[in-house]
């Protein structure tokens, strides 16, 4: 029940946000130091990194949502579209507030292995993907009474692996620093917990949002 666990989630997220703020500069510097080495020593990861990055793009997200609509119902599709739209909007606003450069904008040693522009903090790929994939896990696995707790674990591991791979791909491609990806991941967790807190309140009438106001 999200209502019972919300205070714990809030405390956890506050700790993550404070930690991100305290080590932001250190992680950005670390990114500038290690990414050139990783790119040089592991060039064969480029196609794989671009594939995972595509999953987090607008086109990749649209394909996932179309699959949700095709194999599910309008309610779950509505939730996915709403969450992704809100995350993208908030991410865009925060980029304009933070005005934080991407690694390749600061260091010529970091190669940008793709076409990226705009400010870098937070990573919208990490933000939206974290929220979307945890949302899909919740809607299709956690709330499915036919799936036992033991059977949920492999699905959760798969979801976390995809999220981690998308985040790693952004750092590997030179598009984001570690702190920017971490911030996006934290925001994705925040959006997910808040959304399903309200959804759990309104489960009997999922389109009734009067309890939020």
């Amino acid at each position: 029940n999200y209502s019972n666990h919300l205070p714990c989630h809030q405390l956890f997220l506050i700790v993550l946000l404070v930690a991100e703020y305290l080590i932001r500069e250190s992680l950005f510097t670390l990114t500038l130091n290690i990414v050139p080495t990783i790119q040089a020593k592991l060039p064969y990861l480029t196609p794989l990194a671009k594939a995972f990055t595509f999953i987090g793009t607008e086109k990749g997200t649209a394909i996932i949502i179309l699959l949700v609509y095709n194999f599910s119902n309008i309610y779950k599709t509505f939730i996915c579209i709403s969450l992704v739209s809100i995350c993208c909007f908030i991410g865009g606003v925060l980029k304009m507030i933070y005005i934080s450069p991407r690694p390749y904008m600061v260091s010529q040693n970091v190669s940008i292995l793709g076409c990226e522009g705009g400010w870098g903090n937070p990573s919208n790929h990490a933000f939206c993907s974290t929220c979307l994939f945890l949302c899909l896990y919740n809607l299709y696995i956690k709330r499915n009474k036919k799936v036992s707790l033991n059977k949920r674990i492999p699905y959760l591991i798969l979801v976390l692996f995809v999220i981690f791979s998308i985040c790693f791909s952004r750092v590997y491609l030179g598009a984001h620093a570690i702190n920017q990806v971490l911030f996006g991941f934290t925001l994705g967790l925040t959006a997910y917990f808040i959304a399903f807190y309200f959804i759990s309140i309104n489960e009997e009438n999922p389109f009734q949002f009067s309890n939020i106001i």
Side-chain angles (χ1 to χ4, degrees), residues 88-102 116-125 170 175-176 180 183:
C88 287
F89 175 76
I90 294 175
V93 172
L94 289 175
K95 285 177 186 288
M96 298 304 297
I97 293 175
Y98 278 92
I99 313 180
S100 178
R102 297 173 185 265
E116 299 290 343
W119 301 114
N121 197 31
S123 165
N124 261 6
H125 277 72
R170 304 306 292 154
H176 288 289
Q180 296 169 352
F183 190 31

Side-chain angles (χ1 to χ4, degrees), residues 53-104:
T53 277
F54 176 78
I55 296 175
T57 62
E58 292 85 353
K59 292 181 180 179
T61 302
I63 291 173
I64 293 172
I65 292 177
L66 284 174
L67 290 173
V68 171
Y69 178 75
N70 189 48
F71 294 102
S72 185
N73 55 55
I74 188 64
Y75 168 52
K76 293 180 179 179
T77 306
F78 172 76
I79 291 176
C80 292
I81 293 176
S82 299
L83 289 181
V84 170
S85 299
I86 292 171
C87 289
C88 287
F89 175 76
I90 294 175
V93 172
L94 289 175
K95 285 177 186 288
M96 298 304 297
I97 293 175
Y98 278 92
I99 313 180
S100 178
R102 297 173 185 265
Y104 76 91

Side-chain angles (χ1 to χ4, degrees), residues 72-158:
S72 185
N73 55 55
I74 188 64
Y75 168 52
K76 293 180 179 179
T77 306
F78 172 76
I79 291 176
C80 292
I81 293 176
S82 299
L83 289 181
V84 170
S85 299
I86 292 171
C87 289
C88 287
F89 175 76
I90 294 175
V93 172
L94 289 175
K95 285 177 186 288
M96 298 304 297
I97 293 175
Y98 278 92
I99 313 180
S100 178
R102 297 173 185 265
Y104 76 91
M105 297 176 176
V106 177
S107 173
Q108 294 181 349
N109 295 325
V110 178
S111 300
I112 178 64
L113 305 177
C115 182
E116 299 290 343
W119 301 114
N121 197 31
S123 165
N124 261 6
H125 277 72
F127 188 179
C128 297
S129 297
T130 298
C131 186
L132 176 61
F133 281 99
L134 287 176
C135 169
L136 293 175
Y137 166 78
N138 189 299
L139 292 174
Y140 288 96
I141 305 300
K142 189 172 183 179
R143 291 169 184 258
N144 189 342
K145 296 180 180 179
K146 296 180 180 179
V147 181
S148 65
L149 180 60
N150 291 334
K151 292 182 178 179
R152 291 179 194 171
I153 296 176
Y155 288 104
L156 180 58
I157 292 175
L158 177 61

Side-chain angles (χ1 to χ4, degrees), residues 10-62:
Q10 290 174 328
L11 178 61
F12 173 70
L13 293 169
I14 290 173
V15 170
L16 283 179
L17 288 171
V18 171
E20 189 276 336
Y21 174 78
L22 294 176
I23 61 178
R24 181 182 301 160
E25 296 298 328
S26 299
L27 290 179
F28 193 92
T29 302
L30 177 64
T31 302
L32 299 181
N33 292 332
I34 66 173
V35 169
T37 302
I38 296 175
Q39 290 178 337
K41 291 187 175 182
L42 304 173
Y44 52 84
L45 288 181
T46 302
L48 189 61
K50 289 184 177 181
F52 276 108
T53 277
F54 176 78
I55 296 175
T57 62
E58 292 85 353
K59 292 181 180 179
T61 302

